[in-house]
Amino acid sequence: MSPKLEKFVDRLPIMNTLRPRRKTKSGNYYEVRMEEFRQKLHRDLRPTLLWGYNRQFPGPTIDVKQGEPIQVNWMNNLPSRHILPIDGTVHNVDELPEVRTVTHLHGSETKPDSDGYPEAWYTNGYREVGPTFTRKVYEYPNHQRGCTLWYHDHAMGITRLNVYAGLAGMYIIRDKQEKALNLPNGQYEVPLMIVDRSFNDDGSLAYPDQPDDAADNLPDPSIVPAFLGDTILVNGKVWPFFEVEPRKYRFRILNGSNTRDYQLFLDSGQPFYQIGSDGGLLRKTVKMERIGVEPAERVDVIIDFSQFEGKEVILKNDLGPDADPEDRTGDVLQFRVSKPLTKKDTSVVPRYLSEIPSLNQNNVKTIRNLKLVGSTDEYGRPLLLLDNKKWHDPVTEKPRLGTTEIWSLMNVTGFTHPIHIHLIQFQVLDRRPFDLDRYNEDGQIIYTGSVQAPALNERGWKDTIAAPSAQVTRVIARFAPYTGDYVWHCHILEHEDYDMMRPFTVIDKDE
Ligand code: C2O
Ligand code: CU
Ligand code: CU
């Protein structure tokens, strides 16, 4: 249990924007160093030992324009010992250098050699590199529409620990069309990276080295099947407050937690106006009383504080009726509508936002039925798999370049998995419930209800989607514009590491 930290005593930090080192003919060139450092995460907590990009947690925000490619040199300057407990049996990482990193830009359309393949890791100074190491400087074309992306570590078998240590940051692509909408901008447009952590009394990060009900034959340390921290941080501060003017603000919200999902609402009873999802603006603004955010999902919302002058509004996380009264994670962030209005708010909440062509019109080449399944490993620990295959099994998903596929995600486990596919943004077609008990008895899929259209705020571009238990969630995607090796996985990092991640290869048209 973390020390009982007082809520809303620290100001919300805003990440600084990364400046390019130089301009080159192939775009701006940036350098980012991964380093170990200490950062104060709460007034009453001693500085926490972290790993971060440019000695910051979250890392600096990369802010680019659509159509302007950039290059990033993600330099590993980390020590050779990890600060968190590594299970050496997961992917036999005990045979590898202990500290390895590789950065992935989540949600981006990037060539495979810059996508941060989990086995393309490298150590401090590139002294050692993984089997599929590609290049030192990554290239991001930024040809996709305006959106909120994020970058984070993706090293094989230790992603959960590297990200938990602090290796994550935001990445924003801006386009002209979005600019023309007159959304709240400048200081009124704020990224919020929400994560959960637990702390030891000395301020250090706490992360379990054994599952709660550990049998005694387990590896030591052992991976855990899920992790829920008892403390919520936004932009690197524990339960911060944010002073706002009585006007509209735009918040680009990211759930950067390992396992935890959030059900966000405002205690003032006012709604969110959701304007965007993972892959940018929705077609139409959606008024939401409550927004579920799975790990790695982004929601872009406008909140209007104009009627709340002098008041406090808390961004809450609905823990449901059975919540433990000791659980403090029902609070996220406090807004204090305490600043005077500096000038008239001329920004708008547009009704119509953007054009989104429906992929459903495309000619569908392949339908893949993919099961999300639970099994147990040799130690009796849960082992969650995609279609009953482990990471190292041969590649089975090989979409052809430029073709459209439907992936039908059938979740036969007992809980929701946020499924993420690299390279593309997909659309959610529908969900359909089935009888899980029946399936567990005889393997039959008997639907218990009709096909349900996705929620209004899921009708835009997505790269990560909740695939709930006992439902078939169908997504549709066009696999382009690059061929090569990518991955898809559950974004619960404890699942992704073990072994709920699979390679996929986009193959050439005539292969
Ligand atoms: Cu957010 Cu494969 O990653
Ligand atoms: Cu990704
Ligand atoms: Cu999962």
Side-chain angles (χ1 to χ4, degrees):
M1 267 260 268
S2 299
K4 200 160 178 220
L5 299 166
E6 197 178 323
K7 291 175 176 174
F8 316 133
V9 297
D10 291 286
R11 212 172 280 279
L12 174 80
I14 309 290
M15 291 74 88
N16 60 349
T17 303
L18 189 66
R19 299 268 268 266
R21 296 279 291 202
R22 54 175 183 266
K23 294 196 190 324
T24 74
K25 51 179 191 309
S26 39
N28 280 340
Y29 168 82
Y30 296 82
E31 275 175 9
V32 181
R33 286 177 182 72
M34 295 169 237
E35 284 179 39
E36 184 170 286
F37 63 102
R38 283 176 197 276
Q39 184 173 312
K40 214 159 153 51
L41 304 181
H42 183 273
R43 183 192 67 190
D44 303 328
L45 202 61
R46 282 163 55 193
T48 303
L49 189 69
L50 297 168
W51 289 0
Y53 298 99
N54 284 359
R55 307 178 73 84
Q56 294 163 51
F57 167 62
T61 299
I62 299 180
D63 199 317
V64 300
K65 293 203 185 82
Q66 184 188 33
E68 295 184 0
I70 67 161
Q71 302 175 304
V72 184
N73 189 348
W74 302 101
M75 294 186 285
N76 177 338
N77 285 358
L78 293 165
S80 55
R81 290 273 152 235
H82 212 291
I83 57 173
L84 295 166
I86 294 181
D87 181 338
T89 66
V90 169
H91 293 281
N92 294 325
V93 297
D94 54 2
E95 291 163 20
L96 301 175
E98 189 168 307
V99 176
R100 293 162 284 121
T101 61
V102 59
T103 308
H104 167 60
L105 177 55
H106 180 120
S108 75
E109 283 176 17
T110 303
K111 282 189 184 157
D113 63 359
S114 293
D115 193 50
Y117 201 72
E119 288 168 336
W121 51 261
Y122 47 93
T123 63
N124 185 320
Y126 304 98
R127 275 192 281 273
E128 289 182 78
V129 302
T132 60
F133 178 78
T134 52
R135 47 161 63 227
K136 290 185 178 172
V137 178
Y138 276 18
E139 291 178 349
Y140 301 110
N142 302 320
H143 49 50
Q144 68 203 91
R145 70 210 297 264
C147 56
T148 307
L149 306 178
W150 65 303
Y151 59 91
H152 61 78
D153 192 72
H154 216 306
M156 196 69 216
I158 53 169
T159 295
R160 69 192 183 288
L161 306 173
N162 287 355
V163 173
Y164 193 76
L167 290 169
M170 312 272 283
Y171 188 112
I172 294 170
I173 301 180
R174 297 175 189 278
D175 66 30
K176 294 210 185 82
Q177 195 219 334
E178 180 181 317
K179 201 165 175 205
L181 286 173
N182 191 22
L183 301 168
N185 63 20
Q187 58 171 308
Y188 307 112
E189 181 209 307
V190 181
L192 301 177
M193 185 191 290
I194 304 175
V195 303
D196 61 345
R197 294 288 185 269
S198 291
F199 298 100
N200 300 309
D201 286 333
D202 65 359
S204 58
L205 289 175
Y207 187 89
D209 56 8
Q210 291 284 308
D212 281 346
D213 44 3
D216 30 73
N217 66 336
L218 292 191
D220 187 16
S222 165
I223 192 167
V224 294
F227 169 80
L228 294 177
D230 57 15
T231 305
I232 307 297
L233 292 85
V234 187
N235 296 353
K237 280 288 182 196
V238 170
W239 289 301
F241 67 85
F242 184 46
E243 290 178 297
V244 297
E245 297 178 21
R247 54 158 290 149
K248 293 187 278 308
Y249 280 74
R250 174 184 185 182
F251 296 99
R252 298 174 183 260
I253 301 174
L254 158 71
N255 178 1
S257 310
N258 282 30
T259 294
R260 182 181 290 279
D261 66 288
Y262 298 82
Q263 300 294 328
L264 300 175
F265 69 100
L266 295 162
D267 74 341
S268 52
Q270 68 192 112
F272 304 97
Y273 297 95
Q274 187 171 342
I275 55 171
S277 57
D278 303 338
L281 294 177
L282 300 169
R283 287 192 182 94
K284 289 191 273 188
T285 299
V286 184
K287 198 170 159 183
M288 303 284 292
E289 304 293 332
R290 216 173 92 120
I291 306 181
V293 197
E294 293 289 326
E297 280 191 307
R298 284 87 69 209
V299 295
D300 198 340
V301 300
I302 293 173
I303 302 177
D304 186 356
F305 297 108
S306 61
Q307 303 306 311
F308 294 87
E309 196 169 350
K311 303 232 164 61
E312 285 158 9
V313 176
I314 298 178
L315 177 65
K316 306 273 288 182
N317 172 28
D318 188 355
L319 298 172
D322 309 323
D324 173 356
E326 300 286 293
D327 190 338
R328 307 184 74 213
T329 62
D331 289 305
V332 177
L333 167 67
Q334 181 193 52
F335 298 108
R336 296 182 184 167
V337 194
S338 55
K339 288 169 101 178
L341 189 64
T342 47
K343 56 174 191 294
K344 190 160 180 281
D345 180 7
T346 54
S347 69
V348 295
V349 182
R351 219 168 118 83
Y352 295 98
L353 296 162
S354 72
E355 292 286 326
I356 298 182
S358 170
L359 292 182
N360 217 354
Q361 312 301 318
N362 293 10
N363 181 9
V364 174
K365 260 272 170 262
T366 307
I367 298 178
R368 298 181 194 275
N369 294 308
L370 301 159
K371 259 180 212 161
L372 319 183
V373 297
S375 64
T376 40
D377 70 3
E378 53 182 309
Y379 304 102
R381 298 178 296 187
L383 175 63
L384 293 149
L385 300 174
L386 297 170
D387 222 28
N388 265 315
K389 295 181 191 74
K390 294 192 181 178
W391 165 255
H392 282 292
D393 288 321
V395 183
T396 40
E397 283 70 62
K398 295 180 187 171
R400 218 171 277 278
L401 180 67
T403 62
T404 301
E405 299 202 349
I406 292 175
W407 289 24
S408 194
L409 306 163
M410 180 182 294
N411 184 349
V412 300
T413 74
F415 33 86
T416 299
H417 299 274
I419 299 297
H420 169 49
I421 308 176
H422 283 216
L423 174 66
I424 49 94
Q425 293 285 330
F426 53 74
Q427 289 171 7
V428 186
L429 287 177
D430 48 44
R431 293 193 180 86
R432 190 166 190 192
F434 64 87
D435 185 344
L436 184 55
D437 293 333
R438 176 71 190 265
Y439 173 84
N440 287 331
E441 266 165 41
D442 62 8
Q444 290 229 60
I445 296 291
I446 308 292
Y447 290 109
T448 54
S450 52
V451 168
Q452 298 155 4
L456 291 174
N457 68 334
E458 291 179 328
R459 296 186 188 180
W461 293 107
K462 296 282 296 162
D463 56 49
T464 308
I465 188 67
S469 168
Q471 292 187 35
V472 175
T473 302
R474 296 197 314 149
V475 302
I476 185 167
R478 182 171 172 268
F479 287 83
Y482 306 118
T483 56
D485 296 328
Y486 294 94
V487 302
W488 68 287
H489 56 90
C490 174
H491 219 289
I492 292 178
L493 302 182
E494 285 70 21
H495 297 179
E496 166 180 347
D497 274 343
Y498 190 57
D499 219 276
M500 214 172 184
M501 176 164 72
R502 290 281 296 151
F504 78 89
T505 306
V506 180
I507 59 172
D508 225 304
K509 285 201 188 63
D510 18 68
E511 236 175 279

